[in-house]
Amino acid sequence: MTRAEITVSGRVQGVGFRYFVVRNADKLSLNGYTQNLGNGDVLTVVEGEKLLIEKLYEILKEGPSHAKVKESKILWSNFQNEFNSFEVRF
């Protein structure tokens, strides 16, 4: 088990991106949250199996149909068992 922070930038706000993240994280049984950042990026903090987080990362690099992801990055850290579900934070 591990933890990652995924940041995506581009046209990722106002296009349903956070709910796209939640749907896909739930399908992969991952826990954490996603939120819009003030600079226009979307941050996702996720915990679970590394292989499943990598799969989510690949999905988020594409984004939903109305999004245009220009850049994405993932930062790995130690699993903290902080979350029981996946949610949108405001």
Side-chain angles (χ1 to χ4, degrees), residues 62-75:
E62 294 299 315
S65 59
H66 291 93
K68 180 158 179 57
V69 177
K70 289 187 178 178
E71 189 177 333
S72 60
K73 64 182 175 181
I74 187 166
L75 298 171

Side-chain angles (χ1 to χ4, degrees), residues 29-87:
S29 299
L30 296 169
N31 294 326
Y33 69 90
T34 187
Q35 71 181 48
N36 286 342
L37 298 178
N39 65 357
D41 294 352
V42 172
L43 169 68
T44 300
V45 177
V46 60
E47 291 188 334
E49 292 182 36
K50 185 171 187 179
L51 202 62
L52 296 175
I53 293 174
E54 288 171 340
K55 191 172 206 173
L56 179 67
Y57 182 56
E58 291 303 314
I59 292 168
L60 299 189
K61 288 197 292 188
E62 294 299 315
S65 59
H66 291 93
K68 180 158 179 57
V69 177
K70 289 187 178 178
E71 189 177 333
S72 60
K73 64 182 175 181
I74 187 166
L75 298 171
W76 297 97
S77 59
N78 292 328
F79 180 71
Q80 297 177 21
N81 199 24
E82 181 179 347
F83 311 108
N84 295 320
S85 63
F86 204 93
E87 66 183 21

